[in-house]
Amino acid sequence: MRGMRLVIGLFAAGTALTTATACSHTDEAAGDVSPSNAVFVKVSNNNYLDMDVFAVSRGVSTRLGMVTGNGSGSFVIDRSLGGSDVRIVANPIGGSGRATTGSLAVAPGQTIDFRIAPALGNSSVIIR
């Protein structure tokens, strides 16, 4: 029994260390996005379904994360994903359809404010 507690303790410590490492930010060379090259994405989900949120640029889809139903989330994308043809797409988890911003032209330092409507086709976007 004591050995099992030791294994569980080591597992918990390893998990905590992995989580802390995954959430730490060092520098851009390590793959982080610097604020000068960043495009910010704010998603307000006014739909009751959770949404998977993606940035799509040059035909490549990059998952940003998930926003819970009637919740909000903030994401950062690298400027390399930006340009004249970037889209933010939200797919409902456990539902059908999708909400999309359409093609956007964004510059570093700007924020894409994407509001997902209860009826996905009525979603809207503002660039600030």
Side-chain angles (χ1 to χ4, degrees), residues 10-98:
L10 289 174
F11 177 75
T15 301
L17 181 60
T18 302
T19 302
T21 304
C23 294
S24 69
H25 296 283
T26 53
D27 58 12
E28 189 173 3
D32 286 337
V33 178
S34 80
S36 63
N37 288 334
V39 174
F40 304 95
V41 180
K42 181 182 172 196
V43 179
S44 299
N45 183 5
N46 297 313
N47 194 289
Y48 67 93
L49 293 172
D50 297 343
M51 298 283 173
D52 272 328
V53 180
F54 299 86
V56 181
S57 179
R58 294 184 287 269
V60 178
S61 179
T62 303
R63 185 176 186 273
L64 300 178
M66 191 223 16
V67 178
T68 59
N70 295 310
S72 62
S74 297
F75 307 99
V76 179
I77 58 176
D78 189 88
R79 172 65 178 101
S80 64
L81 291 177
S84 61
D85 187 26
V86 65
R87 301 167 190 268
I88 305 300
V89 177
N91 295 324
I93 298 172
S96 61
R98 70 179 184 165

